[in-house]
Amino acid sequence: MDRRTFFRISSISGGGLLISSLFPLGCQTPKPIGPDWEPNFFLRISPDNTITFSCAQSEIGQGTSTGLAMILADELGASLEKIEIEFAEGSEERFGYLQDTGGSNGVRMTYQPLREASATAREILITAAAQTWNVSGEACYAKEGAIHLKNTDKQIPFGDLIHLAVTLPAPRTIQLKEKSEFEYIGKPAIGPKTYQAAEGKVPYGIDVQLPDMVYAAIQRCPVWGGKLVSFKSDKAKAFPGVIDVVELEPTELQSNDYKGGVRPGVVVLATNTWAALEAKKLLEIEWDFGPNGNKSDSDMREELEAAKNQTNEITHDFKNGAALFRNGMRYIEASYESPFQVNACMEPLNAVAYHMGYKVEVWSGTQSPKMTRERIAELTKLPLGAVTIHNQPAGGGFGRRFFIDFVEEAVILSELIRKPVKVTWSRADTFSTSKYHPFRTEYWSAALDRNNYPVALSNKGVVEKPNGYRPYPYSLPAAFHKYLTYKDGNLLPRASWRSVMAHPWGLGLECFIDELAHEAGIDPVQFRMDLLDKAEIVEQVLVPWVGDDLYPQKLKRTLEVAAERSDWSSNGQNGIFKGVSAIGYNTSYCTQIADVPMVNEELKVHKITAVFDCGLVINPKQVEAQIEGSIMWALSALLKAPITVQNGVVQEKNYDTYDLLRMHEAPEVDIILLESEDAPSGTGEPAVPGTAPAVLNALFAATGKRIRQLPITKSLLAQGELT
Amino acid sequence: MFKLNINGAIHVVDAPANMPLLWVFRDLLQLTGTKYGCGIGQCGACTIHLDGAAVRSCSFPLESAAGREIITIEGLANGDVLHPVQKAWIAQDVPQCGYCQSGQMMQAAALIAENSDPSNHEINQAMKGNICRCGTYLRIQKAIKQAAKELASYRVLDDGL
């Protein structure tokens, strides 16, 4: 029997027809060819007045495509509902760093260039209409996809002006709209992805199907740094639907570790996903695990501890902290542990690649189609122009989809067999052989004066990561030491995980500050406010994705509002205990106050109050959604089992051993977005780091116990250190 | 050969008897609205209706579905008219990445078909098998309440005829 044609289907009476099409299913159908006007890389207007927004940023669930479409609609003068959004193919030439979706930078990086580009297009269209009517440009305005003549009924749709617009130069100066003129910005708006998702029609990478496509599933080496020795594939090959079993050679991790790091593996090629995933389980593989085969996550703890003891170099001495630290009457210290985590995006990693020898096309949801294109060109040794990366909306990115090993795999396999190949990761693959949020420990100590008030602080951990953000907002002098590293390199390869290093440094900083407040006998909110009051602006290394310096006054404002909103002064009354955290990250500011009822054996987070300053709010509903989502994300890491490693092998294989927060565990969330005239800043991540410390600080208020590690377990609750 | 009744249409499928419905939909019938999330019935992304009950299609074999009434997300709407659950999901702007939402909506639709006024506790219990990594739980709760009210109002209209 020919395995390729084993599965046959036929359909009767309507629906469910096998759609045979030359175009990838689930992708945008091609637009009608015609004299479109493309005044810039974001915008295309067709003669039939279709307005297409070419979104540089990926849509991974953060709502960036909706927010940017709103900005375009407002500045151009178009109807949001009529804008079609397409996701731009990877292109350095067109978009440069704007196609790097990370660091909560989507709206904030694209805001200004998109406004300027849209305003320019609007002004050209106005000029075209003015010429047509023989009036001055000031008599015209743009609204709902047409240029209107003031005080009349006259209007010309954009599409009817483009033949003239294309002949006109852009004006040397343009006027951006005033806030009072915004129709969309600042108000809730429902974007196209919501309508698509409500019908199950979002075109994720995992839904892409091409004619003659081969489905691949890979058994990757379970230990990082291990090698393939040998394998037996006869049982796998006997599974119905399997075409072949081949070896996958690894690609070396690059110095820019977003690229490379494909593990050695054995690949099942089949006629459908299920056959590939099931047959994969039947492979018999022998690995040489290498040196990591003897290591466990507890070794990471020891290596960081050893690194802490050996590290004395101070890389950032803030306000003479190092010298002042010697003047303590008494010293306290604490360490805060944050274990391995995995992103566990709902859509398992996947990519479709078609390598035709002289060119390659990829369909995948990544967080940088531009970087993906460059890397695939490098990997295949094809010129950049021969590589096309179609950027699909993704079922979650959270940092993992910036690391494109999953794309490299598909390209390598397609090159081998010269057919379209879809690689689908099983859920187990995404847990056991992925790239991870690293195991980190933050070490803090403080020199206290005779009133138990801190004189100076000392930190060893991840705060001083090179090319990192300067996150410390307080006025207390502090000595920051050289970033702690593992002795022998990584036990697990790393990937970004929503909020990245802000998660461990946020945990350490906001828990330790709380401990200091308690030592000094000062209310934790008041303690922070005093320190922020006296603090100066913290300069950052400004690159496009950092955005701006850190303003302690902005953080203080969020604290004030949160304390009032959550009725902080009622802390401890009616069986509700409160804890606070205040974090500045990605140019945004977030104070969280957690309400925790008296804790007996189990911790229940009753409510989180979050006050958020992200500058100008584009879509308040989406910003609130991002804050809620960040809190749920952080609570999963706080309350649920982490990723553990024994003898190099990740122990967690699926949601039965690494669970995520579920609906019945979600607390009430009360959000206040502060009004601001400042440029929009990040919303995807800044609410993540503060949740755990707010809850742990509330736990302390409720029980007198300090828990300094994640996750909170029953035994920790039972035994936690009483202070 | 197995005869499947999916969203009112008959499909004849020649595939292994133990092939999960999820993959029959996705790879053989190009019905990709139902999603793969975990393969072991722990995340709910693959939820469909079988004879009106919510079922995890990743763990339901083809042979057991023959002859029964299957509804996937593609068939939840009534032609052009969206189901109250879908309308509520839009009104509350529930989805972030959207990947879990087909399963969430199917689970919710099954709940409100049985229970026209679910309490918060009943909603949480019915939905606790559906994971959302983006954390949209609070809006899902609101949307279910809204959808239940709308569906109940149709029933009142029906009863009044």
Side-chain angles (χ1 to χ4, degrees):
Chain A
M1 184 190 304
D2 176 357
R3 284 196 194 92
R4 276 167 230 239
T5 55
F6 184 89
F7 297 119
R8 278 197 200 80
I9 65 139
S10 59
S11 297
I12 306 159
S13 74
L17 294 167
L18 172 61
I19 301 159
S20 172
S21 158
L22 288 174
F23 301 108
L25 292 164
C27 292
Q28 296 279 351
T29 49
K31 289 285 154 238
I33 303 161
D36 289 352
W37 183 47
E38 196 180 15
N40 57 71
F41 295 137
F42 296 121
L43 178 62
R44 207 165 65 245
I45 302 178
S46 308
D48 67 359
N49 216 27
T50 303
I51 297 170
T52 305
F53 169 44
S54 188
C55 187
Q57 287 274 307
S58 300
E59 179 55 62
I60 54 174
Q62 6 66 309
T64 299
S65 60
T66 305
L68 293 176
M70 290 165 71
I71 292 165
L72 172 75
D74 254 334
E75 200 60 64
L76 179 65
S79 298
L80 180 64
E81 317 78 69
K82 300 259 173 67
I83 291 179
E84 299 211 2
I85 301 178
E86 67 182 24
F87 294 98
E89 291 170 9
S91 174
E92 164 75 40
E93 314 88 280
R94 291 181 158 226
F95 297 108
Y97 61 77
L98 289 183
Q99 281 193 306
D100 293 337
T101 305
S104 304
N105 63 14
V107 166
R108 67 190 167 104
M109 280 198 320
T110 317
Y111 175 74
Q112 192 65 21
L114 181 57
R115 286 197 71 183
E116 288 172 12
S118 307
T120 304
R122 178 191 76 230
E123 292 300 322
I124 297 175
L125 288 165
I126 284 177
T127 305
Q131 283 186 12
T132 305
W133 287 321
N134 202 17
V135 298
S136 101
E138 273 140 30
C140 307
Y141 63 96
K143 189 178 166 81
E144 288 169 11
I147 304 294
H148 299 251
L149 185 57
K150 285 180 188 169
N151 304 317
T152 75
D153 283 337
K154 283 181 154 182
Q155 55 171 289
I156 311 176
F158 294 164
D160 290 357
L161 291 166
I162 63 176
H163 66 283
L164 182 50
V166 78
T167 68
L168 299 172
R172 298 198 104 253
T173 58
I174 45 158
Q175 189 80 11
L176 295 183
K177 285 194 178 171
E178 296 295 321
K179 195 171 171 195
S180 55
E181 297 174 81
F182 291 154
E183 298 236 20
Y184 298 108
I185 293 173
K187 300 181 196 126
I190 295 172
K193 78 170 162 74
T194 294
Y195 294 98
Q196 286 178 326
E199 296 191 67
K201 287 183 176 164
V202 177
Y204 302 103
I206 204 170
D207 298 328
V208 170
Q209 294 177 8
L210 300 177
D212 210 26
M213 188 171 79
V214 171
Y215 296 78
I218 306 174
Q219 188 53 52
R220 301 167 184 82
C221 182
V223 176
W224 178 245
K227 296 187 170 72
L228 177 66
V229 174
S230 66
F231 65 93
K232 288 206 200 99
S233 59
D234 34 302
K235 289 194 186 123
K237 282 182 177 167
F239 194 95
V242 172
I243 299 167
D244 200 0
V245 174
V246 300
E247 179 180 338
L248 178 68
E249 302 227 356
T251 65
E252 218 179 279
L253 200 62
Q254 306 295 301
S255 56
N256 174 355
D257 66 350
Y258 302 127
K259 316 177 197 175
V262 167
R263 298 186 189 218
V266 182
V267 189
V268 175
L269 301 170
T271 59
N272 66 86
T273 317
W274 178 67
L277 292 177
E278 287 301 300
K280 178 158 97 80
K281 297 175 191 171
L282 303 173
L283 293 168
E284 294 163 82
I285 309 178
E286 201 192 322
W287 305 101
D288 170 6
F289 284 162
N292 276 338
N294 294 321
K295 282 185 156 185
S296 302
D297 49 279
S298 50
D299 292 306
M300 299 299 99
R301 179 181 296 125
E302 283 163 26
E303 288 189 22
L304 288 172
E305 178 91 24
K308 175 212 56 157
N309 292 331
Q310 286 151 21
T311 301
N312 293 307
E313 186 187 335
I314 292 168
T315 44
H316 176 50
D317 194 5
F318 178 65
K319 292 173 76 175
N320 209 20
L324 290 169
F325 190 79
R326 296 187 213 117
N327 302 339
M329 288 290 292
R330 188 163 85 80
Y331 292 83
I332 62 163
E333 61 179 34
S335 63
Y336 303 90
E337 186 179 286
S338 170
F340 287 116
Q341 301 287 350
V342 79
N343 284 284
C345 309
M346 280 310 288
E347 181 196 3
L349 299 173
N350 60 83
V352 175
Y354 189 6
H355 192 318
M356 295 173 76
Y358 61 93
K359 67 172 189 177
V360 60
E361 252 183 291
V362 168
W363 292 260
S364 187
T366 73
Q367 288 176 239
S368 179
K370 172 210 82 161
M371 189 266 291
T372 304
R373 184 181 184 230
E374 285 159 9
R375 169 58 182 163
I376 297 304
E378 179 182 72
L379 188 67
T380 58
K381 300 183 172 54
L382 285 170
L384 207 56
V387 180
T388 304
I389 309 294
H390 300 284
N391 196 22
Q392 307 302 123
F398 307 116
R400 180 58 178 93
R401 285 185 145 100
F402 221 119
F403 295 71
I404 53 160
D405 50 337
F406 59 97
V407 175
E408 296 182 22
E409 291 169 342
V411 169
I412 292 166
L413 291 169
S414 181
E415 197 277 326
L416 190 67
I417 65 173
R418 300 292 159 109
K419 281 175 184 282
V421 172
K422 175 193 275 188
V423 174
T424 306
W425 289 45
S426 69
R427 178 54 60 194
D429 294 341
T430 70
F431 275 54
S432 45
T433 52
S434 191
K435 295 187 176 186
Y436 303 82
H437 185 51
F439 189 116
R440 302 298 324 184
T441 311
E442 285 294 289
Y443 297 94
W444 283 93
S445 42
L448 308 180
D449 67 17
R450 75 169 76 86
N451 295 316
N452 291 317
Y453 196 86
V455 170
L457 311 182
S458 172
N459 166 270
K460 291 180 185 179
V462 72
V463 170
E464 278 294 292
K465 190 168 194 303
N467 305 318
Y469 188 66
R470 275 265 142 85
Y472 180 71
Y474 298 114
S475 58
L476 284 173
F480 295 98
H481 292 75
K482 190 170 179 205
Y483 166 64
L484 298 182
T485 56
Y486 303 120
K487 180 163 71 79
D488 297 321
N490 287 335
L491 176 59
L492 300 178
R494 76 136 191 147
S496 297
W497 181 94
R498 191 173 191 176
S499 79
V500 204
M501 292 296 102
H503 181 244
W505 64 242
L507 176 73
L509 176 61
E510 282 303 294
C511 286
F512 194 63
I513 282 291
D514 217 69
E515 300 206 41
L516 293 175
H518 179 73
E519 289 288 330
I522 299 174
D523 173 86
V525 167
Q526 192 56 51
F527 186 78
R528 287 171 172 82
M529 297 229 282
D530 293 339
L531 294 178
L532 291 171
D533 219 8
K534 301 177 195 130
E536 287 164 19
I537 297 168
V538 183
E539 283 181 24
Q540 308 295 319
V541 175
L542 287 184
V543 287
W545 45 89
V546 171
D548 203 352
D549 296 325
L550 176 63
Y551 294 84
Q553 297 307 314
K554 291 189 180 183
L555 189 57
K556 182 177 168 232
R557 189 167 151 235
T558 65
L559 254 178
E560 282 166 344
V561 175
E564 206 207 301
R565 176 71 166 202
S566 79
D567 196 20
W568 175 261
S569 53
S570 74
N571 192 356
Q573 294 167 23
N574 303 319
I576 296 287
F577 295 87
K578 296 176 187 287
V580 65
S581 70
I583 298 274
Y585 184 52
N586 286 339
T587 322
S588 292
Y589 302 87
C590 181
T591 288
Q592 293 184 47
I593 291 177
D595 284 8
V596 165
M598 185 68 205
V599 175
N600 292 319
E601 278 180 0
E602 249 189 87
L603 175 66
K604 178 98 178 79
V605 183
H606 173 67
K607 180 164 108 167
I608 305 269
T609 304
V611 176
F612 203 80
D613 177 353
C614 58
L616 177 70
V617 173
I618 306 297
N619 188 342
K621 214 65 196 332
Q622 280 295 300
V623 175
E624 283 170 9
Q626 286 302 288
I627 296 167
E628 281 172 15
S630 297
I631 289 169
M632 303 304 162
W633 178 277
L635 286 174
S636 285
L638 178 65
L639 300 173
K640 302 283 179 173
I643 292 292
T644 61
V645 187
Q646 292 298 316
N647 295 322
V649 176
V650 170
Q651 300 299 295
E652 291 69 30
K653 304 275 185 273
N654 210 317
Y655 294 122
D656 51 358
T657 40
Y658 180 91
D659 202 8
L660 299 177
L661 201 78
R662 291 173 183 265
M663 187 184 286
H664 63 293
E665 299 163 313
E668 201 187 310
V669 177
D670 181 23
I671 296 171
I672 297 190
L673 301 180
L674 293 183
E675 293 273 332
S676 170
E677 299 286 313
D678 294 334
S681 55
T683 68
E685 295 166 293
V688 173
T691 304
V695 174
L696 291 171
N697 294 337
L699 192 64
F700 173 72
T703 64
K705 293 180 184 177
R706 286 286 180 195
I707 291 178
R708 300 187 181 95
Q709 63 187 99
L710 308 179
I712 297 173
T713 60
K714 281 206 171 110
S715 65
L716 275 179
L717 277 175
Q719 87 202 17
E721 184 196 309
L722 278 159
T723 61
Chain B
M1 302 282 257
F2 298 94
K3 232 187 207 178
L4 291 182
N5 175 356
I6 304 173
N7 301 332
I10 306 296
H11 304 264
V12 180
V13 175
D14 184 7
N18 65 338
M19 186 174 188
L21 276 186
L22 171 67
W23 298 112
V24 173
F25 300 147
R26 292 186 55 78
D27 287 351
L28 304 189
L29 300 174
Q30 283 70 47
L31 292 167
T32 56
T34 306
K35 303 303 185 195
Y36 168 64
C38 71
I40 60 169
Q42 287 286 311
C43 78
C46 67
T47 307
I48 52 132
H49 295 166
L50 195 70
D51 293 334
V55 156
R56 310 296 189 216
S57 65
C58 72
S59 309
F60 201 90
L62 171 59
E63 66 180 334
S64 303
R68 298 168 72 172
E69 193 189 317
I70 299 167
I71 308 286
T72 69
I73 185 70
E74 288 90 347
L76 188 62
N78 188 3
D80 275 342
V81 179
L82 296 180
H83 189 282
V85 160
Q86 291 172 299
K87 288 194 224 166
W89 247 244
I90 292 169
Q92 297 294 333
D93 205 7
V94 170
Q96 289 306 118
C97 84
Y99 193 81
C100 74
Q101 302 294 349
S102 297
Q104 302 275 5
M105 284 183 280
M106 296 306 282
Q107 185 72 22
L111 166 67
I112 66 174
E114 298 269 304
N115 184 343
S116 57
D117 187 17
S119 64
N120 289 340
H121 177 74
E122 284 167 332
I123 290 173
N124 287 343
Q125 289 307 306
M127 302 301 294
K128 71 201 265 200
N130 290 71
I131 295 178
C132 175
R133 190 53 163 149
C134 297
T136 66
Y137 296 128
L138 300 178
R139 293 194 302 291
I140 292 177
Q141 288 169 336
K142 290 195 185 108
I144 290 174
K145 291 224 147 127
Q146 180 181 326
K149 278 204 181 81
E150 187 179 335
L151 194 62
S153 73
Y154 297 161
R155 289 214 187 89
V156 167
L157 287 172
D158 279 344
D159 290 346
L161 284 172

